[in-house]
Amino acid sequence: FIYYGEEIGMTGSGDHLNIRRPMQWSPEQFAGFSTATPWLPVDENYLAVNVERQSYEPDSLWHHYQRLIGLRLNHAALRRGSLTTLDTDCDGLFPFLRHLPGADGDEALLVVLNLGRTTAVNCTLSLNTSPLPPGAYATTDLLHNAASSEVVVGENGRIAPSAILPAINAHQGHILRLSPP
């Protein structure tokens, strides 16, 4: 779920009533929320942080949320697939596999999130057993144009330790579609 305002970077503090102020739709008076004075004042940053402005900026947080929502809608494995966490040798990384068998073929997505504060470089990912059949899977990064190497799955779905992504920036995530051999 997305709590309103989160998709544009609105912030709040204090008790529940003050955690979110009126939605910041535009740079107009009262942030475009109302033509009347709202029950709480709008945040001071409404001129810069609002839906209208971010809808015109392709690299905005609002557009990032739109891409993530689109990926979830277009990839059933993100909604209904099994979840298997992978092992890694880097602190701060959270890699997992979402897999969904289907009549038209399996869908497999490898999600790698860097929850750390520094760039993770040449981190290896591995897994002792997975639902994937053996083979070399080509990868396509669905979020970025980052280069990634193939994922080799051995017997019993084993993924040997390998550096699939050369670098993952702090607070960045990658969603890699695994294309079967």
Side-chain angles (χ1 to χ4, degrees):
F1 67 91
I2 300 170
Y3 192 74
Y4 81 93
E6 179 181 10
E7 71 278 24
I8 61 170
M10 283 179 61
T11 58
S13 62
D15 60 29
H16 179 69
L17 294 175
N18 290 317
I19 197 73
R20 290 282 193 262
R21 296 176 182 251
M23 184 65 183
Q24 296 167 193
W25 294 105
S26 71
E28 298 171 7
Q29 183 181 26
F30 306 126
F33 178 79
S34 173
T35 56
T37 304
W39 74 99
L40 286 173
V42 296
D43 198 289
E44 297 171 357
N45 67 3
Y46 80 94
L47 293 172
V49 179
N50 62 69
V51 174
E52 182 179 305
R53 180 176 181 168
Q54 290 192 25
S55 69
Y56 292 110
E57 297 173 356
D59 292 330
S60 70
L61 184 58
W62 184 82
H63 275 286
H64 185 65
Y65 267 81
Q66 296 297 312
R67 284 189 295 275
L68 290 174
I69 292 167
L71 284 173
R72 187 173 187 280
L73 290 172
N74 291 316
H75 295 278
L78 290 174
R79 296 187 313 274
R80 300 188 320 268
S82 63
L83 185 136
T84 307
T85 57
L86 280 80
D87 296 317
T88 182
D89 61 350
C90 286
D91 290 337
L93 278 194
F94 180 55
F96 58 92
L97 177 70
R98 295 297 304 257
H99 175 256
L100 184 67
D104 298 330
D106 293 3
E107 182 177 36
L109 300 170
L110 175 60
V111 179
V112 184
L113 305 173
N114 183 352
L115 305 175
R117 296 179 184 213
T118 59
T119 299
V121 180
N122 293 324
C123 299
T124 62
L125 305 178
S126 63
L127 185 60
N128 284 331
T129 184
S130 78
L132 300 177
Y137 291 75
T139 58
T140 305
D141 195 328
L142 300 176
L143 271 180
H144 311 283
N145 289 325
S148 55
S149 63
E150 66 184 9
V151 173
V152 178
V153 178
E155 294 301 317
N156 298 324
R158 185 178 193 290
I159 298 173
S162 61
I164 296 164
L165 290 157
I168 306 163
N169 293 332
H171 308 291
Q172 186 179 54
H174 294 269
I175 300 174
L176 305 175
R177 180 178 51 220
L178 304 182
S179 300

